[in-house]
Amino acid sequence: MKDSQGIYHNLKLWLTNKMHIEQPQNKNTIFEEQLIFLDPIFETQSQGFAGAVCNNLLQNNQTLYLKQFKNSLDSIAYWHCHGRAIHTFLPLPTSFLFSKEFLCEYEQCLMDSQLPVGLIRVPLLDFKNLELALFKNQLIQLQRLGLILELKNFSGSDSELIWLNSNFFEGVHISIGFVRAAMMTSVSKERFNELMITCKTQNHHTYIEGISLVHDFNFAKENEVEFCYGPLMMPPVSKHQLLKITISQLNKSFQSSPQKNIHYGK
C-alpha cells in the first residue's frame, strides 16, 4: 500500500513539474491593444457624431507629443481607409511653436501622412498668457499646411479675446468652468453672450468641452452652441470603436427612458 502511495505521489509531482515547464512565459497577444484616447464630438441639436479630439496630445513633452501626433495621423488614415472622413482635433501646446526644430518635424509628419486637406483641426492650448505677436509667423505656417486653427479651454478673458479676434482661428472650445460660471452669475453670463455674438459675427464654430451634467448640455442647447463633448455625451473611445459611433449616448438614454402614460381628466 505504501509503495502504491509513493508511486502516485511521484507521478503527481512529475505531472505538476511538466505542466509548469510547458507553461508559456510570454503571452502572445492576438489582438491589437485598443488604446482609449479619443473624445467624440457631437452636434448639440441633433446629437449626431461630428468628430473626435485626440486627448493623448494633452502633454508638455515635445518628443512624446510628436510620437503621439504620428499615431493620431495614422488613426485618421485608418478611418479614411474605412470610408470615414472624420474631422479630427489635434490639440497643440502653443509654447511648442517657439521651437523651429519642433515645427520642422511637425510639418514633416503632416507631409508624410499625405492626408486630405481640411480633415485636421488644431486647437491651441495654454495661449492665454502668451503674446499673439510672437506667434504670427508660426500660425501663418500652420495655415499654409492646410490646418484649421482653433482655441481650446477658452474662459472668456480679455487676453483670449485678442487671440480670437486675430482672424487666425475658426473655432473656440469653451471651458466647462466658464459655462458653469455663466449659469451662476449675471456678469459671466453677459461675458458668455458677448462671446457668442462675436463667434456668430465672425462665423466661428463653437464647442463646449467637458460636458458632464445634463444642466451643461441644456445650457449649450439653449444658447445655440454648435457642438458638445465630454463624459455625459460619451466617454473616450478607441480608434476602432469610433468607426461605429453615429449618435451620443445621451440621446440613446433619452430614447430608452420609460415614458409615462398621462391620462388627462383622471
Side-chain angles (χ1 to χ4, degrees):
M1 185 71 178
K2 289 183 180 180
D3 292 340
S4 62
Q5 288 180 345
I7 293 171
Y8 173 76
H9 179 71
N10 291 333
L11 179 62
K12 185 177 180 181
L13 287 175
W14 180 81
L15 289 172
T16 302
N17 290 334
K18 182 176 177 60
M19 290 175 64
H20 176 74
I21 292 170
E22 292 180 351
Q23 185 71 23
Q25 299 299 315
N26 298 320
K27 294 182 179 179
N28 294 323
T29 54
I30 300 175
F31 300 103
E32 179 186 351
E33 182 183 3
Q34 294 198 23
L35 302 177
I36 307 298
F37 65 96
L38 297 159
D39 283 328
I41 295 179
F42 301 92
E43 294 181 0
T44 304
Q45 301 300 324
S46 67
Q47 296 190 49
F49 176 66
V53 179
C54 295
N55 57 33
N56 62 337
L57 296 174
L58 307 178
Q59 53 189 287
N60 296 318
N61 182 287
Q62 292 185 14
T63 302
L64 186 56
Y65 179 94
L66 288 169
K67 179 181 178 182
Q68 299 294 358
F69 182 65
K70 292 176 184 178
N71 292 337
S72 297
L73 295 177
D74 289 342
S75 295
I76 300 172
Y78 171 78
W79 300 324
H80 201 259
C81 288
H82 282 75
R84 296 287 301 275
I86 296 174
H87 287 119
T88 311
F89 299 73
L90 307 180
L92 173 64
T94 309
S95 59
F96 286 4
L97 299 178
F98 279 126
S99 170
K100 292 183 179 180
E101 292 78 9
F102 173 84
L103 271 175
C104 287
E105 290 191 52
Y106 187 88
E107 180 176 350
Q108 191 60 50
C109 290
L110 285 169
M111 299 300 290
D112 292 342
S113 70
Q114 298 183 344
L115 290 169
V117 173
L119 280 182
I120 301 174
R121 298 173 180 264
V122 178
L124 292 187
L125 298 164
D126 305 324
F127 60 92
K128 184 188 301 187
N129 297 319
L130 298 174
E131 189 177 344
L132 174 64
L134 299 175
F135 298 94
K136 285 188 175 180
N137 291 335
Q138 294 93 318
L139 296 176
I140 291 171
Q141 182 178 348
L142 294 179
Q143 286 183 326
R144 287 174 177 169
L145 292 171
L147 301 175
I148 299 172
L149 302 180
E150 300 183 338
L151 296 172
K152 205 171 188 305
N153 301 331
F154 199 92
S155 59
S157 68
D158 291 339
S159 60
E160 290 172 304
L161 289 171
I162 292 173
W163 283 74
L164 183 63
N165 292 322
S166 65
N167 296 322
F168 283 111
F169 304 97
E170 298 185 25
V172 55
H173 298 242
I174 304 168
S175 72
I176 195 62
F178 185 24
V179 167
R180 290 175 182 169
M183 293 185 202
M184 299 294 292
T185 68
S186 58
V187 174
S188 296
K189 183 59 168 68
E190 184 178 349
R191 192 81 168 176
F192 183 89
N193 291 341
E194 291 173 355
L195 171 62
M196 292 301 296
I197 291 171
T198 299
C199 290
K200 287 181 180 180
T201 302
Q202 300 182 6
N203 294 319
H204 292 325
H205 291 301
T206 52
Y207 312 79
I208 291 181
E209 57 189 30
I211 295 280
S212 59
L213 302 173
V214 174
H215 291 304
D216 303 335
F217 175 74
N218 289 338
F219 181 89
K221 194 168 185 177
E222 290 166 6
N223 288 274
E224 299 181 351
V225 177
E226 292 179 273
F227 304 98
C228 291
Y229 59 99
L232 180 72
M233 311 302 294
M234 187 168 290
V237 298
S238 72
K239 71 175 185 179
H240 308 290
Q241 293 168 332
L242 197 74
L243 285 172
K244 301 179 181 180
I245 297 174
T246 56
I247 203 161
S248 80
Q249 68 174 11
L250 180 61
N251 183 279
K252 292 179 180 179
S253 67
F254 283 161
Q255 291 177 348
S256 62
S257 298
Q259 301 294 323
K260 293 183 180 179
N261 293 322
I262 301 175
H263 301 285
Y264 295 100
K266 292 187 179 180

